[in-house]
Amino acid sequence: MRNTQATFDLERLTAVNAAQAARLLREVRDARIAGRPPRVGPRPVIGASWDRMLASGVDPEHDHRAGMLSTDEVERRRQTSPLRHVLPVLREGLLSVADVAQHIMVVADAEGRLLWREGNRSVLRMADGHGFEVGADWRESIVGTNGIGTPLVARRPLQVFSAEHFVRSHHLWTCTGAPITDPRDGQLLGVVDISGPLDTMHPATLALVGSVAKLAEARLREQHLTALDRLRSVAAPVLARLGGRAVAVDTHGWTAAVTGMPPPGRVTLPKSFADGRVWLPTLGGCAVAPLPGGWLLRFDDGGGAGSAAPHGTAVPVATRVVVDVGGSHRWTVTVTGSAGCWTHELTPRHAELLYLLAVSRAGRTAAGLAEDLFGDAGRTVTVRAELSRVRRYLGGLLAHRPYRFHEDADVELVLPAEASLLLPQSVAPAVVRARAAAVP
């Protein structure tokens, strides 16, 4: 009861007099570090964090700056993080408030690496002096109790005020962070945080940040349902032609369409998945075929399980892939396999990439493709991001290290009648050379 009452008094004191609350918290922190009983106890979630810091040996008097991510690595993480899809929600909900209240908004990934940072300019300059920069590592185990790393550990919204920060140099700050999880699989995606000088602290900030984080998760859920609808529109005509039991699932195993069986809410998929045959522990043997944005699973009916590979290992079967860049403004990839046939329209960039992979069956590194596309081997982050998008509809048909079509795929490249008309809008050096080679 004593800690509950102390927590209540401390929160009320913070709302009334931030400076007095900060002094009291410093006394509480210093006593805890020295092993003396404090006059009042810290909030349980903060006390638990301090205990972790003391056990792990984090220095409470000196901050530690871990290695910064390179610009390329920050960009790679931005391009592959689902959080990029909810930045508009976070900005709309928090940035205007942050700027007026002398705060900044920070978005970090599940490893505590800062990927985005925006807000009040003077506070941004102050943050630079504390290593609160894009690419920095703000895990709790590195920099102590804070509004980025501690919500990632606690898996709940949390306000860390002044000396509740374990490291002394952070005591001039108040930070409020809320974790964001992926509604598709419950995985932690990262955290959104509002930070500013301690005298700008407001108790309502915690509710605001938590609510905006929930809005971001709701937006991700909407996008997931939209993606399932797109997959369903492709899968429905395929399933209509099939007999027996079959289900179309997205890359996380969520059901989009089904025939011949009750719809499973979600199918647990093995980490390594490809066109072929597979044994799923809960559903038995099945044939696997890629769909744009997911997979088609055709289940064995009576005695077929023995032919499937055990333990979720896929056995590739022949799949035909036609990359059609013969048109002047419309390009497609058509896949024919055990699921039947489907076609996906390509963006200009994806048409360039699949053309390059089709003519280089041995594969190309990210640096090689960057040279082919941009004349700059250093632009690997952009290449990897685009290929990540391609893999959403081609799935296991694309391998990497180097990037290439799967060796068991039968790939056909359809070119224009005149090579000089190849992808006429493209300025990619490799495509320009191919067009030039056709000119006598």
Side-chain angles (χ1 to χ4, degrees), residues 138-349:
W138 275 72
R139 285 175 294 169
E140 187 188 65
S141 60
I142 297 297
V143 297
T145 309
N146 71 90
I148 295 287
T150 304
L152 288 173
V153 175
R155 297 294 293 266
R156 52 171 279 192
L158 179 65
Q159 192 165 55
V160 182
F161 173 73
S162 185
E164 288 185 321
H165 290 90
F166 187 73
V167 177
R168 188 178 298 277
S169 60
H170 303 153
H171 289 184
L172 297 178
W173 289 82
T174 179
C175 306
T176 307
I180 299 174
T181 58
D182 192 330
R184 296 171 298 184
D185 54 16
Q187 292 294 309
L188 188 62
L189 297 177
V191 64
V192 58
D193 167 269
I194 290 290
S195 293
L198 68 88
D199 58 359
T200 64
M201 183 269 183
H202 194 286
T205 306
L206 180 61
L208 173 65
V209 175
S211 296
V212 173
K214 291 300 181 185
L215 286 175
E217 292 176 346
R219 177 63 58 85
L220 290 172
R221 191 173 295 109
E222 290 173 6
Q223 292 175 345
H224 179 217
L225 294 175
T226 300
L228 282 177
D229 285 340
R230 287 197 300 266
L231 176 57
R232 188 175 298 114
S233 67
V234 174
V238 174
L239 291 173
R241 297 192 297 265
L242 300 178
R245 299 180 300 140
V247 60
V249 298
D250 69 5
T251 54
H252 291 266
W254 291 99
T255 298
V258 66
T259 186
M261 60 186 287
R266 187 182 181 193
V267 177
T268 302
L269 304 179
K271 291 182 178 180
S272 178
F273 219 40
D275 196 14
R277 294 193 59 78
V278 70
W279 174 264
L280 299 176
T282 57
L283 294 169
C286 65
V288 179
L291 291 170
W295 302 95
L296 177 71
L297 311 179
R298 299 179 65 183
F299 295 99
D300 297 325
D301 287 309
S307 61
H311 310 305
T313 302
V315 180
V317 298
T319 300
R320 181 176 173 80
V321 180
V322 178
V323 178
D324 186 346
V325 292
S328 60
H329 61 277
R330 184 178 182 269
W331 313 281
T332 61
V333 59
T334 299
V335 176
T336 305
S338 58
C341 180
W342 54 265
T343 297
H344 182 81
E345 189 163 339
L346 301 172
T347 66
R349 179 69 74 214

Side-chain angles (χ1 to χ4, degrees), residues 370-419:
E371 183 71 35
D372 291 341
L373 287 173
F374 309 111
D376 179 359
R379 295 186 61 178
T380 56
V381 171
T382 303
V383 167
R384 291 191 179 101
E386 290 294 344
L387 283 167
S388 176
R389 297 183 181 103
V390 172
R391 288 175 68 89
R392 291 176 193 168
Y393 51 87
L394 285 184
L397 292 174
L398 280 187
H400 60 98
R401 297 181 183 176
Y403 290 107
R404 65 198 185 279
F405 282 103
H406 196 285
E407 60 185 9
D408 293 301
D410 176 18
V411 179
E412 178 185 350
L413 178 62
V414 177
L415 297 169
E418 296 182 25

Side-chain angles (χ1 to χ4, degrees), residues 39-63:
R39 285 193 292 158
V40 294
R43 293 185 292 152
V45 66
I46 297 298
S49 176
W50 287 355
D51 288 343
R52 290 192 295 270
M53 300 308 94
L54 291 168
S56 62
V58 173
D59 188 343
E61 301 304 319
H62 303 91
D63 62 1

